[in-house]
């Protein structure tokens, strides 16, 4: 059955049109739409940036046309959605009502049709509040509506829970100085690399080498490196902060206090850390 979008609903679409049509599109490329299963980094990118995260169930959906779909990129169609909140994972001040409205741009199929968003379909949505409109949200990115899965939702909850802990891994903004100290015997050494963070919280990475042993490395979230420091677990917030942020090479200023041999050792240990962290896979293009 076709849904008659009321003037109020049309107003929602027009009010949110600008953000949905242009988010992540400053260079004129087509909006990114989630088509593959999101990775941990995809979920962390969305969850940490959006003040609203919710598990929703579609109550009504209709494709928008004419002026309500102005600015949609070729190959996409705009859909107006009313959805019931199944579970509010994160909310801006004041929370959300039990039913919300938003618009989303979806890729057309090979026949040029916009996919049907059926009543009862469940999604995870990441959004921004709309001033003065408690029941409306603007998607935080063009692909900030993703198919619901229980494990996916649990992962988002874990990411947000970790991010609010007193000792949460801070956002990395750069690399500070690095130091290398040879040990008392050949083959023994310690490298320490200090990181710069958005909150000016001390973070350092240490690599210890001993003859005949596998190198050990750890991350400390304080000024003191103690026995509690360890390498981060994959798909944890600390792993994400490092693996998805650290540059592929150390900046020259980080080696300013090292001689040639020390600089080479630091660079080698930094490469070792990157290898241990592994890649940061994403299936989406960040806004």
């Amino acid at each position: 059955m076709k849904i008659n979008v009321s003037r109020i609903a049309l107003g929602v679409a027009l009010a949110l049109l600008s953000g949905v049509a242009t988010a992540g599109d400053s260079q004129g490329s087509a909006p990114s739409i989630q088509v593959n299963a999101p990775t941990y980094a995809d979920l962390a990118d969305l969850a940490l940036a959006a003040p609203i995260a919710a598990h929703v169930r579609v109550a009504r959906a209709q494709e928008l046309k004419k002026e309500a779909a102005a600015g949609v990129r070729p190959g996409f169609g705009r859909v107006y959605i009313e959805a019931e909140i199944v579970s509010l994972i994160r909310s801006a001040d004041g929370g959300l009502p039990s039913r919300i409205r938003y618009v989303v741009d979806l890729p057309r199929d090979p026949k040029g049709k916009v996919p049907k968003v059926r009543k009862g379909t469940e999604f995870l949505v990441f959004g921004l509040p709309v001033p003065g409109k408690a029941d409306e949200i603007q998607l935080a990115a063009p692909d900030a509506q993703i198919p619901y899965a229980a494990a996916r939702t649990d992962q988002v909850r874990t990411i947000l829970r970790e991010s609010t802990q007193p000792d949460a891994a801070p956002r990395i903004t750069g690399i500070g100085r690095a130091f290398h100290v040879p040990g008392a015997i050949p083959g023994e050494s310690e490298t320490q690399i200090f990181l710069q963070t958005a909150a000016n919280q001390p973070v350092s990475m240490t690599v210890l080498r001993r003859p005949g042993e596998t190198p050990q490395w750890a991350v400390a979230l304080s000024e003191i490196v103690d026995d509690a420091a360890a390498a981060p677990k994959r798909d944890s917030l600390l792993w994400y902060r490092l693996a998805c942020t650290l540059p592929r090479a150390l900046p020259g200023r980080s080696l300013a206090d090292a001689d040639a041999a020390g600089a080479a050792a630091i660079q080698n240990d930094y490469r070792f850390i990157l290898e241990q962290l592994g890649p940061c896979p994403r299936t989406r293009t960040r806004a």
Side-chain angles (χ1 to χ4, degrees):
M1 182 178 72
K2 292 194 80 174
I3 301 165
N4 292 319
V5 180
S6 67
R7 292 183 180 179
I8 294 176
L10 182 58
V12 174
L14 293 173
L16 302 184
L17 186 154
S18 177
V20 173
T22 61
D25 191 36
S26 60
Q27 301 302 315
S29 58
S32 63
I33 299 295
Q34 187 74 47
V35 293
N36 299 313
T39 66
Y40 180 94
D42 291 329
L43 295 176
D45 289 343
L46 290 167
L48 295 173
I52 296 170
H55 167 200
V56 303
R57 181 180 297 118
V58 174
R60 301 202 313 169
Q62 181 170 329
E63 181 183 356
L64 298 176
K65 299 179 180 180
K66 298 182 179 180
E67 69 273 17
V72 177
R73 293 285 178 177
F76 293 88
R78 180 159 294 147
V79 179
Y80 165 82
I81 290 178
E82 292 184 13
E84 298 170 348
I85 301 288
V86 177
S87 177
L88 189 57
I89 302 169
R90 183 184 194 183
S91 68
D93 293 342
L96 289 175
S98 61
R99 190 162 173 144
I100 60 171
R101 303 179 290 181
Y102 61 93
V103 294
V104 61
D105 289 352
L106 299 176
R108 297 181 183 276
D109 65 19
K111 295 182 179 180
K113 300 287 187 179
V114 175
K116 296 288 186 182
V117 180
R118 301 187 182 281
K119 181 179 179 179
T121 303
E122 297 182 21
F123 293 106
L124 282 177
V125 294
F126 302 88
L128 309 171
V130 177
K133 304 287 186 180
D135 63 343
E136 297 173 16
I137 68 168
Q138 175 181 316
L139 293 183
D143 56 352
Q145 172 188 273
I146 62 177
Y148 166 78
R152 202 168 287 166
T153 304
D154 290 343
Q155 201 163 41
V156 169
R157 291 185 184 279
T158 298
I159 290 167
L160 292 174
R161 185 169 57 250
E162 285 188 51
S163 71
T164 59
Q165 297 301 308
D167 59 349
R171 183 168 60 86
I172 307 301
T173 59
I175 299 180
R177 295 299 177 92
F179 303 91
H180 178 77
V181 180
I185 59 176
E188 186 178 68
S189 67
E190 178 177 342
T191 291
Q192 191 168 20
I193 302 171
F194 291 88
L195 303 180
Q196 299 165 340
T197 68
N200 293 320
Q201 178 180 335
V203 177
S204 63
M205 305 184 297
T206 302
V207 178
L208 294 174
R209 293 182 182 270
R210 296 185 178 91
E213 297 183 14
T214 301
Q216 300 295 316
W217 78 286
V219 181
L221 301 180
S222 66
E223 295 179 351
I224 300 174
V225 180
D226 55 26
D227 293 339
K233 295 181 180 179
R234 186 175 179 84
D235 289 355
S236 65
L237 183 61
L238 180 54
W239 171 85
Y240 165 80
R241 296 295 197 198
L242 298 172
C244 303
T245 305
L246 292 178
R248 295 298 91 189
L250 286 171
R253 64 179 180 277
S254 297
L255 306 172
D257 296 317
D259 58 21
I266 292 170
Q267 290 173 329
N268 185 50
D269 284 340
Y270 184 70
R271 286 192 293 269
F272 170 74
I273 290 173
L274 295 182
E275 291 170 358
Q276 295 301 302
L277 286 169
C280 171
R282 286 185 171 100
T283 64
R284 63 185 294 271
T285 300
R286 288 181 296 171

